[in-house]
Amino acid sequence: MQSTARRFKQNAHEAMADAPLQKALGNIKHGFIQKRRKAAARLPEFEALRDQAREIKNHTLAHLDFYLERFEQKVVDNGGTVHWCRTAEDARRAILSVCRLVGAKTVTKGKTMIGEEIGINDFLAEHGITPVETDLGEYIIQLRNETPSHIIAPAIHVNKEQVAEAFRKEHTHLEPGRLLDDPPQLLAEARQEMRDKFLAADVGITGANFLIAETGSSVIVTNEGNGDLTQTLPRVHIVLASLEKVVPTLEDASTILRVLARSATGQEFSVYTTFSTGARRADDLDGPEQYHVVLLDNGRSDMIGTEFQEMLRCIRCGACLNHCPVYGAVGGHAYGWVYSGPMGAVLTPSLIGIGEAGHLPNASSFCGRCEEVCPMRIPLPKMMRHWREREFERQIRPTVARTGLRLWAFMVRRPWLYRRLTGFAVHMLASWAHGGARLQRLPMAKGWTAYREFPVPEGSTFVDQWRAHQRQILEEELA
Amino acid sequence: MTTRGEIFARIRAGIGRDDALDDEKARELIDRLESPKRNLVPARSDLDRTRLVDLFVSMAEEAAATVQRVSHAGAIPRAVVSYLARHNLPMRVTMAPDSSLDRIPWKLEPMLALRQGKADPADEVSLTAAFAGIAESGTLMVISGAHHPSTLNLLPDSHMVVLHENQIVGAYEDGWDLLRRAQGDGEKRLPRTVLFVTGPSRSADIEQTIQMGAHGPRRLHILLVADYVGQGRQAS
């Protein structure tokens, strides 16, 4: 997928002026956030499970080569094939060659973020194979020719009127005057349209929430059932997954599953959690004849052993997006690539480079909510800081920002100077305010004061007040 | 170097190890895989049998499944027919070719047309047997096989599932243990699919509003039977 992360600032400005988008983003607060809070509060062991989930992934990443080898061995034992892919191009080629071998014309797809990462839909279409997204949200954005704006709710930026418009445009064989005002009518139409496509597809591509080293299974988690139809009806099932999805055992996956649905949608458990192991068995009446796992690296092996390794614990629940004030203000598209919100701000620079995605780790107020709610306890703010350091070291930042930081560093290393200047600033601000409590305008900070008022400092600096306070205590003791 | 080799070299360079694990460490990890240990299991489902069954029912209903409790298998045909009538559904059901379902006295309801096999796209109602019920979240554990085509769980609009009370266990881990025991020493691999179903299909992709019946069944009806049937029989 082509990145526009470089123009994050412009994207963000446009997003904030986009009224339908702002209306759609308002739904997050009453949906995801409250539901997650209730689900977490209902399970007394939730915090302890988060600790264990973190340890399971840490253990796996520390022995990732071993677990990947075991996983591969088990897939092969079960009659499946593993395709190792270093780059997005490798993965696209691997998928295309499987599709060509079976003469595929159409491919159904369950939701896969890796599919977005490698831009598989456009690639298949260019090679004469029609990709059909089956997740309702993915289907909507495919019709609108967009990318997902949220990792678990890809069409969260779209309003129902826009869905109706997209359906009318695409489903031209249906009665033009039909009612499409409500979500149930929209869902019924999508379900009907999708049925034939499920049945006609030659290949089904799904992602994987987990790969199990113990059994060689891939696991998908859905609420719609589209992923299961995708991996059951066609002749070939291709699992598209990145290296870090592997966990050791069924028990380990079960533990992480307990925190996944609760963190994502606030459900006790998602509707369908499916462990798939190989292709159709000799006496099975249905299921695919071939089972392929396309295992993608695409920059992940380079994260191991670095300060960004912990990001590989991510299970793509979306909780950090839902709780992020920046994501809530600008939505996912502003981030300019596949992943958005805090997890995107950390992962995207790893995968496409800090030169391209340098704005993203800066788009944070460091409020820390993302780390608070992350089921895998990924220290997202800390890692965004690491990216800021790297960005500074590599001198990618604009001169104004660099000079400002230098000046600030010069001052804080000379406390007497810092105190003098802040004391002076306090005095100046108070005199500008003419006795008022707030300032509507500040020199050189118009961008800031355009949206908020600046409280006028009261009297003196913190250090002065502290000293006065200490002196008072001393005097009282002496008295 | 092959792509695979290159990926492993990079991973090992990151870990700070030149080659594969030494034998001792490898043995330890192989043991971890071959004798899987449980992590923390929530205490929620640590209950006596009666309360465990009640927990299963209340959690399944919370997930929008419907549960009908029947005293013995002989009551199932009547329950099926009245469910179909209540929802204005045709008296035609596609049933899994499962011996435990064959034993149900279907002759008691001569109006009911049963067909055995995988799902046909036109099928409106399916009837299958579950491998286990997980009380923790009101989840059905369903395995594929010759006796249970997986399309029956997914294609028809209404899915009915027969579950016996003594198939209800507490946690997912209990379900895995049951499956491993049922497979015994013979089949070492899992069935092609092990599906955990918690309520009927739904989507919240349009304006965060939950709608039932996205691609899978709109209705999930569990017929919970009180009498005894040996556990884990499907996998034998």
Side-chain angles (χ1 to χ4, degrees):
Chain A
M1 177 181 160
Q2 191 61 42
S3 158
T4 65
R6 209 180 270 275
R7 58 191 295 281
F8 174 79
K9 283 187 177 179
Q10 207 177 327
N11 291 346
H13 276 295
E14 287 162 16
M16 289 176 75
D18 182 339
L21 173 68
Q22 291 300 320
K23 182 180 156 225
L25 289 171
N27 292 333
I28 295 180
K29 202 167 175 186
H30 305 288
F32 288 136
I33 295 181
Q34 287 184 15
K35 286 178 189 162
R36 180 206 167 267
R37 189 183 298 139
K38 277 188 198 152
R42 193 176 169 190
L43 188 68
E45 294 91 348
F46 188 70
E47 295 304 316
L49 286 166
R50 286 173 67 187
D51 290 337
Q52 291 202 338
R54 175 188 58 198
E55 292 316 313
I56 290 165
K57 278 280 190 174
N58 281 351
H59 169 82
T60 314
L61 291 170
H63 308 98
L64 187 61
D65 55 335
F66 171 83
Y67 286 116
L68 285 171
E69 273 184 333
R70 291 289 296 203
F71 171 75
E72 179 190 35
Q73 188 57 53
K74 285 288 173 184
V75 171
V76 172
D77 289 350
N78 298 329
T81 311
V82 176
H83 307 259
W84 297 89
C85 302
R86 274 273 299 138
T87 63
E89 179 62 15
D90 292 348
R92 288 190 291 263
R93 292 277 159 207
I95 291 172
L96 182 64
S97 69
V98 173
C99 290
R100 284 202 167 143
L101 275 177
V102 296
K105 289 190 186 66
T106 65
V107 170
T108 43
K109 284 185 63 216
K111 222 180 94 50
T112 145
M113 293 308 290
I114 308 293
E116 301 290 340
E117 202 178 307
I118 67 170
I120 189 63
N121 285 3
D122 289 346
F123 184 78
L124 289 175
E126 280 162 25
H127 290 83
I129 297 168
T130 310
V132 181
E133 293 288 355
T134 63
D135 172 87
L136 178 60
E138 293 280 349
Y139 180 61
I140 291 167
I141 62 168
Q142 190 183 22
L143 294 185
R144 287 166 55 88
N145 202 14
E146 288 179 313
T147 55
S149 69
H150 189 290
I151 44 181
I152 67 159
I156 200 164
H157 59 286
V158 185
N159 295 308
K160 65 181 185 209
E161 293 77 18
Q162 297 170 307
V163 179
E165 194 187 315
F167 281 12
R168 284 189 201 284
K169 211 167 138 197
E170 176 74 13
H171 307 154
T172 47
H173 53 286
L174 298 176
E175 171 62 39
R178 69 194 183 279
L179 276 179
L180 278 179
D181 296 342
D182 289 326
Q185 292 161 338
L186 294 164
L187 180 67
E189 182 164 317
R191 179 187 171 102
Q192 199 50 48
E193 287 297 306
M194 206 52 76
R195 269 300 150 114
D196 295 339
K197 293 177 175 168
F198 275 126
L199 296 164
D202 307 291
V203 174
I205 300 177
T206 68
N209 291 81
F210 305 97
L211 305 170
I212 314 283
E214 175 196 350
T215 56
S217 313
S218 54
V219 183
I220 60 166
V221 178
T222 77
N223 279 322
E224 298 184 5
N226 65 306
D228 287 280
L229 287 166
T230 301
Q231 64 184 17
T232 302
L233 295 171
R235 280 177 290 150
V236 178
H237 177 200
I238 301 177
V239 181
L240 178 53
S242 50
L243 301 177
E244 81 283 10
K245 294 289 167 205
V246 71
V247 294
T249 64
L250 298 168
E251 274 74 3
D252 293 325
S254 303
T255 297
I256 303 177
L257 281 166
R258 283 196 179 93
V259 295
L260 173 59
R262 289 183 172 92
S263 301
T265 55
Q267 285 168 287
E268 288 284 320
F269 216 50
S270 300
V271 177
Y272 302 105
T273 300
T274 314
F275 292 68
S276 299
T277 311
R280 177 194 291 217
R281 306 291 157 77
D283 50 1
D284 279 354
L285 299 178
D286 53 19
E289 289 152 22
Q290 292 181 30
Y291 178 84
H292 295 266
V293 181
V294 173
L295 254 184
L296 178 68
D297 180 345
N298 208 26
R300 285 156 178 89
S301 60
D302 292 337
M303 293 165 71
I304 293 171
T306 72
E307 63 264 59
F308 302 108
Q309 174 170 325
E310 291 181 278
M311 192 60 219
L312 297 175
R313 288 205 301 264
C314 178
I315 53 173
R316 308 289 190 265
C317 69
C320 62
L321 279 65
N322 300 336
H323 291 76
C324 177
V326 176
Y327 179 91
V330 303
H333 285 153
Y335 290 79
W337 201 56
V338 179
Y339 304 105
S340 56
M343 59 78 65
V346 173
L347 187 60
T348 305
S350 291
L351 302 185
I352 66 173
I354 187 68
E356 177 63 35
H359 284 310
L360 307 188
N362 287 292
S364 165
S365 62
F366 280 170
C367 70
R369 284 170 85 193
C370 50
E371 185 174 355
E372 253 169 62
V373 298
C374 174
M376 306 306 286
R377 298 201 192 280
I378 299 172
L380 292 155
K382 186 181 92 181
M383 287 193 282
M384 282 186 246
R385 265 200 301 276
H386 286 319
W387 276 125
R388 291 185 188 188
E389 285 159 18
R390 286 208 185 179
E391 194 198 10
F392 190 84
E393 283 160 16
R394 287 188 42 193
Q395 315 200 346
I396 319 173
R397 280 216 193 172
T399 324
V400 178
R402 296 181 65 82
T403 314
L405 277 171
R406 279 230 184 76
L407 262 170
W408 183 77
F410 181 83
M411 280 193 354
V412 292
R413 273 178 296 197
R414 291 162 182 82
W416 60 271
L417 178 65
Y418 186 83
R419 280 201 292 275
R420 283 270 175 95
L421 283 171
T422 47
F424 176 70
V426 164
H427 179 75
M428 286 306 290
L429 287 169
S431 77
W432 267 324
H434 301 296
R438 287 174 180 279
L439 284 162
Q440 269 89 39
R441 256 191 300 273
L442 279 176
M444 296 190 294
K446 255 184 266 163
W448 201 88
T449 49
Y451 301 102
R452 25 187 154 20
E453 296 177 332
F454 191 83
V456 174
E458 288 183 21
S460 52
T461 65
F462 173 78
V463 174
D464 287 342
Q465 289 188 41
W466 175 263
R467 282 196 178 144
H469 183 66
Q470 293 299 97
R471 208 159 38 233
Q472 197 185 341
I473 292 171
L474 202 65
E475 277 165 14
E476 276 167 15
E477 277 174 8
L478 289 172
Chain B
M1 197 187 274
T2 60
T3 305
R4 184 185 183 282
E6 207 180 313
I7 290 172
F8 276 90
R10 280 166 181 271
I11 291 172
R12 284 172 185 148
I15 293 173
R17 175 157 41 75
D18 291 339
D19 215 332
L21 291 167
D22 61 62
D23 288 351
E24 195 186 336
K25 187 70 191 175
R27 191 66 248 162
E28 183 191 321
L29 296 187
I30 289 168
D31 282 348
R32 193 187 187 288
L33 290 178
E34 288 179 353
S35 329
K37 293 218 166 41
R38 291 180 176 207
N39 303 302
L40 173 67
V41 174
R44 177 192 285 179
S45 63
D46 192 5
L47 299 168
D48 64 46
R49 183 127 291 272
T50 312
R51 287 167 64 204
L52 194 68
V53 172
D54 290 346
L55 176 66
F56 174 84
V57 172
S58 68
M59 293 306 288
E61 286 176 342
E62 191 185 298
T66 47
V67 183
Q68 185 173 359
R69 300 179 77 153
V70 295
S71 58
H72 60 287
I76 292 174
R78 180 94 284 250
V80 169
V81 165
S82 61
Y83 181 82
L84 296 176
R86 200 158 60 241
H87 292 280
N88 205 19
L89 292 164
M91 292 288 152
R92 267 194 315 276
V93 172
T94 308
M95 191 169 84
D98 184 310
S99 58
S100 73
L101 298 177
D102 289 343
R103 285 198 293 270
I104 294 167
W106 295 110
K107 288 206 175 78
L108 294 174
E109 292 295 338
M111 294 303 284
L112 186 65
L114 290 173
R115 179 179 76 80
Q116 285 192 318
K118 66 175 181 175
D120 183 88
D123 290 343
E124 288 187 56
V125 186
S126 63
L127 180 83
T128 67
F131 176 76
I134 314 285
E136 177 175 358
S137 48
T139 300
L140 293 166
M141 184 178 181
V142 169
I143 60 177
S144 68
H147 61 278
H148 194 146
S150 37
T151 42
L152 288 176
N153 313 318
L154 304 166
L155 274 178
D157 258 19
S158 302
H159 182 200
M160 308 176 87
V161 183
V162 175
L163 177 73
H164 292 262
E165 280 187 13
N166 69 319
Q167 288 178 289
I168 293 176
V169 295
Y172 314 117
E173 287 82 350
D174 298 322
W176 292 126
D177 282 352
L178 210 57
L179 184 57
R180 288 185 184 118
R181 272 209 303 280
Q183 288 189 295
D185 294 331
E187 181 69 277
K188 277 291 176 201
R189 61 181 176 174
L190 290 180
R192 187 185 72 79
T193 64
V194 179
L195 171 62
F196 292 89
V197 187
T198 313
S201 157
R202 70 201 65 186
S203 174
D205 272 345
I206 300 174
E207 295 196 348
Q208 296 272 290
T209 317
I210 290 176
Q211 306 294 325
M212 306 309 283
H215 295 293
R218 287 173 220 264
R219 301 186 193 90
L220 177 67
H221 188 60
I222 301 169
L223 295 157
L224 185 57
V225 189
D227 68 356
Y228 178 85
V229 170
Q231 277 186 345
R233 76 217 119 73
Q234 285 93 340
S236 59

